[in-house]
Each structure stands twice: as structure tokens, then as C-alpha cells.
Amino acid sequence: EVLKYEEPWRLGANEATELDLYSDATIQDKKIKNGRYILYCIPHKDSWTIVLNSNIDSWGLEPDPSKDIARFTVPVMKTNVSIEYFTMVFEKKETGAELVMAWDDAEVRLPIQF
């Protein structure tokens, strides 16, 4: 009831969730310059569209697609563990990290290479 498919969804409470990249990165074969961005998603039944946007210092979620830097589609994986609170963590990988986002029995992973 809280999450509606096909509508933008903020990835946190209050201020927009920010991602600071201290070096250039590659996400799904797209080159992303170092800098400060906000993240939001558009959930679909079997995937999420993760949006990297330059509308920093924004409150809540007021999507401005003209400031989208990139969009990434990641599959939703169902887990055996139910997470009560929306959670975001980075997992270190050999070539960078994965941004893991999980809630209830859904998990998505966005690989980031440095």
C-alpha cells in the first residue's frame, strides 16, 4: 500500500537521498563524473529504475527529469528474509561496490565500478 509501482519513490525520509562520488565511476557501462547527486527510484513489479539526478539540496522528492544524469534498470530479487525498514548499504566488490537496497522481501543491487 505504501509503495506504488510506476511512480517515483524517494529512497529515504525527508531530504532527498544523496550519493557523493569522490572519483569518476562507471555504472551499467555509463561514465559518471565525480560529484554529488540525489538518488530516487521508479519501482516496477520485477525491476526498479534507479535515477541519478543533479537536483541536490532538494527536500523530499520533487522529480525533475531534466536534471537526470542517468537511469539504471536493476532486477528485483526476492529474499527469504523480511526487512522491516527500508535499508541501503554498500558492499565492497573487487572492482568497486554494490549499492544494496532492501525492503520487506525485495532486494535490488546497483553495481558501481571505480
Side-chain angles (χ1 to χ4, degrees):
E1 295 174 11
V2 174
L3 177 65
K4 294 181 181 173
Y5 292 125
E6 313 305 323
E7 292 183 16
W9 187 51
R10 65 182 178 185
L11 297 174
N14 304 322
E15 285 189 64
T17 298
E18 293 185 5
L19 174 67
D20 286 324
L21 295 174
Y22 294 100
S23 63
D24 293 350
T26 301
I27 304 173
Q28 292 185 347
D29 296 323
K30 295 178 183 173
K31 303 287 185 194
I32 307 298
K33 292 185 182 272
N34 68 333
R36 191 167 147 224
Y37 304 97
I38 65 165
L39 287 172
Y40 67 92
C41 81
I42 302 168
H44 314 284
K45 184 177 179 182
D46 297 319
S47 66
W48 286 7
T49 301
I50 307 298
V51 182
L52 196 64
N53 185 286
S54 64
N55 190 21
I56 59 173
D57 297 322
S58 55
W59 185 259
L61 179 60
E62 297 178 22
D64 182 351
S66 72
K67 294 187 178 185
D68 287 356
I69 301 302
R71 289 177 174 229
F72 312 100
T73 301
V74 291
V76 173
M77 297 176 284
K78 294 296 180 182
T79 65
N80 294 330
V81 178
S82 180
I83 299 188
E84 185 173 347
Y85 300 105
F86 179 76
T87 302
M88 295 174 61
V89 297
F90 285 98
E91 282 188 7
K92 186 175 180 177
K93 297 294 178 182
E94 190 174 310
T95 60
E98 281 187 333
L99 175 55
V100 181
M101 295 160 272
W103 187 34
D104 193 27
D105 66 346
E107 176 181 293
V108 298
R109 293 174 171 263
L110 181 66
I112 303 171
Q113 298 172 334
F114 299 100

